[in-house]
Amino acid sequence: MLRLLLVCGLLVVVASPTARAWIRPHLAPILNPAYEWSVRSRVSEIARTIEAERAANHEIPMVGPIPDFVRRHYFQKDSHLDPWGTPYHLLQTADGLQVASAGPDRQIGTEDDILSPPVGKEEAAGRLGETR
């Protein structure tokens, strides 16, 4: 019974932005690794969606915050926000375009940012392996 109450309490904390803001400082050491794992998957998924849109000759988002693009493709409430409440971004890096989460510090361009693989990297690697 106690386990059930703990699980229900954790679900409320994770699901409610108000509760997350209140309890976040206390649970950050526990929740951040789970958030980071989830965000790594999400930024890669968004990057694949951007690459699919580019391959279909559709308009892709410009560098910067990409909330409209994410909302248009993912219909969940707050899908455009990472678990720390920051919009996903598209960045131009030395490796090319990458989808980014600002990470736990909520500031883009810092060490804790979580980046996708470069958009189009698989396509470029495939072209390098082509024979003429």
Side-chain angles (χ1 to χ4, degrees), residues 2-3 5 39 44-45 49 95 111 121 128:
L2 181 59
R3 285 185 190 174
L5 287 173
V39 168
S44 294
E45 181 182 349
T49 301
D95 294 329
E111 281 185 15
K121 187 173 185 175
L128 290 175

Side-chain angles (χ1 to χ4, degrees), residues 22-35:
W22 178 75
I23 196 102
R24 178 176 281 135
H26 307 291
L27 291 181
I30 297 167
L31 294 178
N32 279 345
Y35 286 164

Side-chain angles (χ1 to χ4, degrees), residues 1 3 7-8 20 46 54 59 64 69 79 83 91 97 115 117:
M1 184 67 167
R3 285 185 190 174
V7 169
C8 288
R20 274 198 314 252
I46 295 168
R54 183 186 351 202
E59 190 175 326
F69 179 85
S79 61
L91 303 177
L97 293 175
L115 302 175

Side-chain angles (χ1 to χ4, degrees), residues 2-23:
L2 181 59
R3 285 185 190 174
L4 180 60
L5 287 173
L6 288 173
V7 169
C8 288
L10 185 59
L11 289 175
V12 167
V13 168
V14 171
S16 166
T18 305
R20 274 198 314 252
W22 178 75
I23 196 102

